[in-house]
């Protein structure tokens, strides 16, 4: 189980590092042109805040668990990422983008798996 949790954490962290960096650096037009249409309904300051939260959560997936300090922060970070993915799923569904919605729901499920697994190991 521990190997599955670490593996999924690495995969999820790669997704969110990419997403967080791109959303924090690129202008709205480039984000939309690159396929991040889910940001469309939201103002850019909110998109930037979410990007920073994604990057902080990636740190939270690893640092507390590896340092054995405040380990509860790791599953909470995974829950935070699941919440971000819930919002993304609603956004993509409202834009009638079924493929993107399905992909986001899959990431949400992986985040929930990480959260449940880490809570069980506390």
């Amino acid at each position: 189980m521990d190997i599955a949790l670490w593996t999924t954490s690495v995969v999820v962290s790669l997704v969110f590092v990419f997403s967080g960096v791109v959303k924090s650096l690129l202008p709205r037009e480039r984000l939309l042109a690159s396929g991040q249409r889910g940001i469309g309904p939201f103002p850019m300051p909110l998109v930037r805040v979410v990007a920073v939260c994604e990057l902080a959560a990636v740190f939270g997936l690893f640092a507390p668990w590896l340092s054995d300090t405040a380990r509860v922060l790791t599953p909470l970070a995974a829950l935070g990422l699941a919440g971000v993915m819930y919002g993304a799923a609603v956004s993509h569904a409202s834009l009638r983008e079924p493929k993107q919605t399905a992909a986001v729901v899959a990431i949400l499920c992986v985040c929930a798996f990480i959260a449940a697994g880490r809570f069980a190991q506390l």
Side-chain angles (χ1 to χ4, degrees):
M1 179 68 153
D2 203 42
I3 292 171
L5 288 169
W6 282 114
T7 303
T8 54
S9 294
V10 167
V11 171
V12 163
S13 70
L14 293 173
V15 169
F16 282 105
V17 163
F18 175 77
S19 174
V21 168
V22 168
K23 283 191 265 184
S24 64
L25 296 177
L26 293 182
R28 179 180 212 73
E29 298 77 28
R30 291 256 333 254
L31 287 170
L32 292 170
S34 71
Q36 295 234 5
R37 293 180 298 274
I39 67 149
F42 303 104
M44 276 315 284
L46 178 60
V47 173
R48 304 279 192 225
V49 167
V50 169
V52 170
C53 290
E54 289 174 354
L55 294 171
V58 167
F59 180 77
L61 284 178
F62 296 100
W65 206 264
L66 290 172
S67 68
D68 200 25
T69 305
R71 290 173 67 153
V72 72
L73 294 177
T74 294
L76 291 176
L79 282 178
L81 291 172
V84 168
M85 289 294 94
Y86 176 79
V90 170
S91 178
H92 284 291
S94 71
L95 294 170
R96 297 181 184 187
E97 299 176 334
K99 289 180 184 176
Q100 290 85 348
T101 303
V104 165
V105 169
I107 297 168
L108 185 155
C109 291
V110 173
C111 292
F113 166 75
I114 294 167
R118 291 301 185 199
F119 273 128
Q121 292 181 338
L122 287 178

